[in-house]
């Protein structure tokens, strides 16, 4: 059995069943979609942001630090000539009472994000027809 199975419910929508969960995608209206769900590329960014957020949250929880006010934001710089992303910027807003002594440590923790690690150590892709 595959890790992920893709189905096509209509229009520009593409759904993915992964580990028993359904992830719905669509294209923006400007690209011929209905704009009813994130695009696959948007989910790529959401994956990076949520992974970074998970590591930030886990760090705070492991140290008993209150997480109210903790925020992770992601933005990108785009190489317009290549049409590709040139930089991913992740900004972390710490809770008001976050101890100074842990500021470097939480950044190191967030840097452990497995999604980011897999991008930096890109896998080979194998395409085949059946």
């Amino acid at each position: 059995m595959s890790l992920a199975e893709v189905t096509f419910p209509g229009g520009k929508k593409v759904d993915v069943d992964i580990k028993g969960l359904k992830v719905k995608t669509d294209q923006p209206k400007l690209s011929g979609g209905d704009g009813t769900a994130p695009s696959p590329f948007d989910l790529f960014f959401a994956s990076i942001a949520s992974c970074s957020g998970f590591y930030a949250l886990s760090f705070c929880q492991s140290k008993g630090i209150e997480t109210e006010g903790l925020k992770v934001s992601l933005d990108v710089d785009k190489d317009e000539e290549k049409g590709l992303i040139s930089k991913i910027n992740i900004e972390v807003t710490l809770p008001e009472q976050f101890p100074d002594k842990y500021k470097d440590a939480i950044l190191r923790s967030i840097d452990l994000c497995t999604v980011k690690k897999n991008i930096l150590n890109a896998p080979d892709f194998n395409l085949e027809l059946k």
Side-chain angles (χ1 to χ4, degrees):
M1 178 169 202
S2 300
L3 173 64
E5 294 286 336
V6 176
T7 57
F8 309 96
K12 299 284 185 178
K13 294 175 179 71
V14 177
D15 293 349
V16 180
D17 287 306
I18 185 164
K19 296 182 180 178
L21 301 171
K22 183 173 281 196
V23 178
K24 297 175 178 260
T25 72
D26 196 0
Q27 292 295 311
K29 290 183 179 183
L30 293 175
S31 297
D34 295 328
T36 61
S39 72
F41 203 48
D42 291 339
L43 289 178
F44 169 72
F45 295 125
S47 180
I48 298 165
S50 62
C51 185
S52 298
F54 168 76
Y55 278 87
L57 176 66
S58 293
F59 179 88
C60 289
Q61 289 174 336
S62 74
K63 301 295 183 194
I65 299 170
E66 176 61 45
T67 58
E68 185 176 337
L70 178 65
K71 180 179 171 185
V72 175
S73 302
L74 183 143
D75 204 351
V76 297
D77 295 338
K78 189 171 183 181
D79 182 330
E80 297 297 334
E81 188 175 303
K82 292 181 182 178
L84 299 172
I85 301 304
S86 60
K87 184 187 282 185
I88 296 173
N89 304 295
I90 299 170
E91 182 177 278
V92 181
T93 303
L94 297 173
E96 194 172 300
Q97 301 300 322
F98 192 89
D100 285 340
K101 67 180 181 178
Y102 290 133
K103 287 183 177 178
D104 289 337
I106 193 170
L107 290 176
R108 286 192 306 273
S109 179
I110 294 166
D111 201 36
L112 296 173
C113 167
T114 53
V115 175
K116 180 189 134 223
K117 283 184 174 184
N118 275 272
I119 293 168
L120 295 175
N121 298 289
D124 293 330
F125 283 79
N126 179 48
L127 301 174
E128 62 183 68
L129 296 174
K130 287 192 175 195

